[in-house]
Amino acid sequence: MSENSHKLKMSRYPVILVVVALLFRCHMSVAMVKKKTYIIHMAKSQMPATFNDDHTHWYDSSLRSVSDSAEMLYVYNNVIHGFSARLTPQEAESLETQPGILSVLPELKYQLHTTRTPTFLGLDKSADFFPESDAMSDVIIGVLDTGVWPESKSFDDSGLGPIPASWKGQCESGTNFSSSNCNRKLIGARYFSRGYETTLGPIDESKESKSPRDDDGHGTHTSTTAGGSVVQGASLFGYAPGTARGMATRARVAVYKVCWVGGCFSSDILAAMDKAIDDNVNVLSLSLGGGISDYYRDSVAIGAFAAMEKGILVSCSAGNAGPSPYSLSNVAPWITTVGAGTLDRDFPAYVSLGNGKNFSGVSLYKGNSLPNKMLPFVYAGNASNVTNGNLCMTGTLIPEKVKGKIVLCDRGINARVQKGSVVKAAGGAGMVLTNTAANGEELVADAHLLPATAVGQKTGDAIRDYLTSDSNPTATILFEGTKVGIEPSPVVAAFSSRGPNSITPEILKPDIIAPGVNILAGWTGAVGPTGLEEDDRRVGFNIISGTSMSCPHVSGLAALLKGAHPEWSPAAIRSALMTTAYTAYKNGGAIQDVSTGKPSTPLDHGAGHVDPVSALNPGLVYDITTDDYLNFLCALNYTPSQISSLARRNFTCNESKKYSVTDLNYPSFAVSFPAESAARTGSAGSSSIKYSRMLTNVGPAGTYKVTVTSPTSSVKITVEPETLSFSQMNEKKSYTVTFTAPSMSSSTTNVFGRIEWSDGKHVVGSPLAISWT
């Protein structure tokens, strides 16, 4: 070999080494990218004796068997037996084959479900019903959300006694937050970010606080709705003026920050629920949700099962994916699932057109008024060069075509308030925001950055007709402030997620509805009421909407019932709220669904709208024990390992016993008949389904008689016995309901009805939802 050829060959080595190094680095980065957070459920009973009851050592050893580098993010003690860690799919698969491993589940990402209320619910007149007792101030509400703004007046602890001796929690320090931020009202604050940070990287502390501090507003709003103190003279820019108060003003509040700019991760949510159980909260409030999955794969359902066993009621939002059917989240029967209704309060802002017509809308705008004259009016779709210009998305409007004009924008894709910001940036004077078919006639008020109002779909269509037919269209907007006594109210919000329950159709969800539209509650000092970066306004209270708002109403009401009846189980409290809920207005008309303009159904409102004063004295309750839920899991044909993932213990279904989901002692009835059933029972050509229930007396002695209401004679409903007599407190009596119906095609519409037990004073109501599938 010549010297030159040798040099040439040698000179290639560095190139080859660089290529190899790059390939290795690329391979490593691909491996890094592939890593995910997994939640590992362990069978504690299978822990080898060599670990001397040190389960953390056992968990670590199991993890080391598949990865030398992986670290545990959290060790869980209450919600599951197990831990979370960052693994490659291959490592996760390998771990799942190890002894003692029940399941290895990939982490899920959850999203938030985003004054007048106490009066609307009758709490202002019911001081005698809810005495301000010491028991009431012993109740602790845990809120899992975006954190807390402790400076809010709603956390004033004046008049509250010492922190309950049962409290085992902490007030954690962190960015912009110290332990001194807690007091006798806000007794605890923690944050959970390991799962979030391992997925999305370190929290940018210049943009959000790595601490319990709420930089978003959502968490402060939900926690003050549930348990905020009384604050006189509250309002948002003068809208909804009055006294703001949470549902349980003397309850204590503990905040668990699990949601960050990029969402809420299940490993963090589970860790927070685990800690909340240790801390001894009495109620857990979660205004968040993820996708629908089987209960043993759903972290919120798993955590809620453990909480329920400890006597903690778990209240969750139903979701904001309505009015589509099957749009619910948080449907486990041990969770109280809350949909949203409206209040009897509105914030009218009228559109006045150049043709003399006026249309009503809603707005929370407060700022410089429009000129006292009609202004040029333009449709955004005609003031843009892009196909979706009608949506007023960033950078889509042509300033020359909107300057000084009122702009009509269509709702959809980007945030409602952001559309107004886009109009303002382009030089527009005002905005009319119109619903499309997706939102119908539902109106949600916003604190817009420019004079603006939101109108329904029909109004929007009429305004568009005017804009296309008039050669010189003009308009103005008139703001009317706050109006109360709006009828009908409540109506079911269009955004409120609906049934049927896609996991277990025999369990009717949502359970109940509560106020969730245009709710005034505490807010963060970190952002303006719109949450937009350019909104430099700061407010102590904000008005927002969502099942996120209805959930803490029920959480707070559950705290009130817990204070009045400390011995009641979570199921008893939920039962009291459900069986006393109302489904009709005082004039006898059925509660309306704003999305259809027609009467709502149990698939929309569950048992009905919450009535806390009646719930205090329900007469009878449907109680449910942990064993009842375990039997329910057997009825779902869950495997022993799937049940153990939820129950954290060995439980084997009795093979000789016949389990049925219709035997779970739920306060509502969802009946699912097979369409064109091949196997028939009962009379020829019909099917029969039997439900078993047990009622517990929590009132005086009395005899209850049953009434069945059904709009159709095609379904025969038989209750046996028809009378139940109770002679003492806590006495239990059982009954059965048999539903017999002909086989029908799957196109048959649902049938809705009601079963009521009454002693002349109490009415114990249960909704019926009958379908053919």
Side-chain angles (χ1 to χ4, degrees):
M1 185 186 293
S2 70
E3 187 178 338
N4 284 343
S5 63
H6 179 73
K7 283 182 178 175
L8 183 64
K9 192 172 183 180
M10 289 298 291
S11 68
R12 285 178 184 156
Y13 283 172
V15 176
I16 293 166
L17 288 171
V18 167
V19 170
V20 169
L22 285 171
L23 285 170
F24 180 73
R25 185 177 295 174
C26 183
H27 173 75
M28 287 293 288
S29 65
V30 168
M32 293 282 283
V33 167
K34 281 185 178 176
K35 282 203 170 190
K36 291 180 182 176
T37 299
Y38 290 86
I39 296 167
I40 296 90
H41 294 245
M42 307 285 284
K44 195 174 182 182
S45 61
Q46 295 179 33
M47 182 172 70
T50 52
F51 289 103
N52 297 319
D53 288 336
D54 185 348
H55 60 275
T56 304
H57 187 198
W58 178 43
Y59 298 166
D60 189 61
S61 175
S62 300
L63 183 59
R64 291 284 157 264
S65 70
V66 299
S67 172
D68 291 329
S69 59
E71 291 183 9
M72 283 189 276
L73 300 178
Y74 295 107
V75 172
Y76 305 107
N77 299 309
N78 299 301
V79 289
I80 65 169
H81 295 310
F83 61 97
S84 50
R86 197 94 172 137
L87 301 167
T88 66
Q90 292 79 10
E91 288 168 343
E93 202 173 307
S94 176
L95 185 59
E96 202 157 19
T97 65
Q98 301 294 316
I101 307 287
L102 290 170
S103 64
V104 179
L105 302 178
E107 179 169 64
L108 292 174
K109 184 176 168 185
Y110 289 70
Q111 299 292 347
L112 295 164
H113 287 151
T114 288
T115 60
R116 178 70 183 165
T117 316
T119 303
F120 185 66
L121 294 175
L123 293 178
D124 60 326
K125 300 170 186 170
S126 56
D128 295 337
F129 294 103
F130 291 100
E132 301 291 358
S133 64
D134 289 340
M136 207 67 80
S137 63
D138 284 342
V139 179
I140 302 162
I141 305 170
V143 182
L144 272 67
D145 213 296
T146 64
V148 67
W149 192 260
E151 293 81 8
S152 170
K153 292 179 181 177
S154 297
F155 296 115
D156 183 355
D157 65 356
S158 299
L160 284 172
I163 292 170
S166 61
W167 175 243
K168 306 298 181 195
Q170 284 184 322
C171 197
E172 292 180 348
S173 298
T175 315
N176 304 320
F177 200 95
S178 74
S179 57
S180 62
N181 285 121
C182 291
N183 59 14
R184 289 170 301 175
K185 163 57 81 172
L186 178 65
I187 62 173
R190 297 182 185 268
Y191 68 99
F192 301 82
S193 61
R194 290 178 203 164
Y196 178 87
E197 290 189 287
T198 54
T199 302
L200 296 180
I203 286 165
D204 183 347
E205 294 184 52
S206 68
K207 292 182 179 174
E208 61 179 331
S209 304
K210 191 174 177 181
S211 75
R213 182 165 291 281
D214 178 16
D215 303 300
D216 176 273
H218 192 276
T220 303
H221 201 278
T222 54
S223 56
T224 58
T225 296
S229 301
V230 175
V231 181
Q232 309 283 348
S235 75
L236 171 64
F237 302 136
Y239 288 100
T243 299
R245 51 163 287 181
M247 296 299 97
T249 57
R250 293 185 64 78
R252 317 300 176 124
V253 175
V255 166
Y256 300 82
K257 183 176 179 178
V258 296
C259 295
W260 307 84
V261 165
C264 328
F265 286 79
S266 54
S267 60
D268 294 329
I269 293 169
L270 265 181
M273 296 179 86
D274 198 73
K275 194 57 76 175
I277 292 170
D278 268 344
D279 291 346
N280 274 343
V281 304
N282 303 107
V283 175
L284 269 175
S285 188
L286 289 82
S287 290
L288 49 82
I292 292 291
S293 54
D294 285 308
Y295 305 132
Y296 61 87
R297 299 180 66 88
D298 180 342
S299 290
V300 170
I302 290 165
F305 194 96
M308 169 275 298
E309 283 200 272
K310 298 283 188 177
I312 301 167
L313 181 136
V314 181
S315 168
C316 292
S317 47
N320 298 336
S324 303
Y326 295 100
S327 51
L328 293 160
S329 12
N330 302 316
V331 296
W334 47 88
I335 289 173
T336 300
T337 311
V338 189
T342 63
L343 292 173
D344 62 342
R345 179 178 64 196
D346 218 341
F347 308 101
Y350 296 91
V351 185
S352 182
L353 302 180
N355 62 4
K357 291 185 177 178
N358 294 314
F359 295 97
S360 62
V362 296
S363 180
L364 297 168
Y365 171 72
K366 189 73 169 182
N368 294 330
S369 302
L370 288 169
N372 193 19
K373 62 178 182 179
M374 303 297 280
L375 294 175
F377 194 19
V378 64
Y379 182 44
N382 298 330
S384 174
N385 288 327
V386 298
T387 53
N388 61 352
N390 60 310
L391 296 175
C392 297
M393 295 171 74
T394 303
T396 61
L397 296 179
I398 301 168
E400 294 78 19
K401 292 193 175 184
V402 302
K403 188 175 182 182
K405 298 178 182 178
I406 293 175
V407 181
L408 179 70
C409 299
D410 288 336
R411 189 169 164 183
I413 308 297
N414 58 332
R416 301 183 301 270
V417 288
Q418 190 180 47
K419 294 174 190 288
S421 177
V422 170
V423 171
K424 185 177 181 181
M431 176 182 71
V432 177
L433 177 63
T434 176
N435 283 355
T436 58
N439 307 105
E441 301 309 305
E442 177 168 74
L443 300 180
V444 179
D446 293 298
H448 293 285
L449 291 170
L450 83 171
T453 186
V455 299
Q457 179 195 3
K458 291 174 185 172
T459 294
D461 292 344
I463 292 174
R464 267 191 228 91
D465 288 345
Y466 165 69
L467 279 168
T468 55
S469 62
D470 195 302
S471 59
N472 186 29
T474 58
T476 191
I477 303 170
L478 309 168
F479 300 94
E480 297 287 315
T482 305
K483 303 285 185 195
V484 295
I486 303 297
E487 292 184 353
S489 62
V491 296
V492 179
F495 62 73
S496 187
S497 289
R498 316 301 172 98
N501 179 340
S502 58
I503 303 296
T504 318
E506 298 84 357
I507 301 297
L508 181 64
K509 291 283 182 171
D511 291 311
I512 205 162
I513 60 169
V517 179
N518 298 332
I519 304 301
L520 180 80
W523 196 245
T524 175
V527 297
T530 63
L532 296 174
E533 202 172 321
E534 60 268 34
D535 188 355
D536 58 5
R537 301 170 297 176
R538 295 294 180 265
V539 296
F541 291 85
N542 198 9
I543 295 172
I544 55 176
S545 302
T547 54
S548 276
M549 284 60 255
S550 51
C551 166
H553 277 88
V554 168
S555 308
L557 296 175
L560 283 180
L561 292 181
K562 184 69 176 176
H565 301 285
E567 74 285 1
W568 280 8
S569 69
I573 292 171
R574 176 180 55 198
S575 173
L577 291 166
M578 288 176 66
T579 61
T580 58
Y582 62 91
T583 57
Y585 303 119
K586 288 176 181 171
N587 66 6
I591 288 179
Q592 299 291 296
D593 177 358
V594 75
S595 71
T596 61
K598 296 175 182 176
S600 61
T601 76
L603 295 178
D604 310 320
H605 61 233
H609 192 283
V610 66
D611 179 359
V613 177
S614 297
L616 190 67
N617 181 17
L620 308 174
V621 294
Y622 293 85
D623 210 352
I624 306 177
T625 66
T626 302
D627 285 345
D628 295 329
Y629 288 122
L630 290 170
N631 290 338
F632 167 79
L633 299 178
C634 290
L636 295 179
N637 295 319
Y638 277 15
T639 65
S641 66
Q642 289 166 351
I643 293 175
S644 186
S645 290
L646 275 160
R648 309 167 320 286
R649 71 182 79 119
N650 288 336
F651 182 85
T652 305
C653 302
N654 186 339
E655 289 184 12
S656 64
K657 184 176 177 181
K658 189 174 184 294
Y659 295 96
S660 173
V661 291
T662 63
D663 289 339
L664 185 67
N665 200 34
Y666 219 70
S668 56
F669 296 85
V671 187
S672 184
F673 283 105
E676 307 295 352
S677 171
R680 316 232 190 257
T681 57
S683 59
S686 66
S687 298
S688 287
I689 302 176
K690 183 178 281 190
Y691 282 62
S692 301
R693 292 292 186 267
M694 180 178 286
L695 284 161
T696 302
N697 182 36
V698 292
T703 298
Y704 287 78
K705 294 183 178 178
V706 74
T707 305
V708 179
T709 307
S710 174
T712 176
S713 58
S714 64
V715 180
K716 185 182 177 186
I717 303 170
T718 307
V719 180
E720 294 180 336
E722 296 182 351
T723 302
L724 297 173
S725 292
F726 297 89
S727 59
Q728 60 191 25
M729 182 75 83
N730 295 322
E731 188 177 358
K732 298 178 185 295
K733 298 276 185 178
S734 59
Y735 71 94
T736 61
V737 188
T738 304
F739 298 89
T740 306
S743 297
M744 297 187 180
S745 69
S746 56
S747 61
T748 304
T749 55
N750 295 315
V751 172
F752 303 105
R754 193 165 173 83
I755 291 177
E756 290 183 348
W757 293 90
S758 179
D759 64 350
K761 181 182 178 185
H762 304 91
V763 176
V764 185
S766 294
L768 308 175
I770 304 167
S771 62
W772 286 261
T773 55

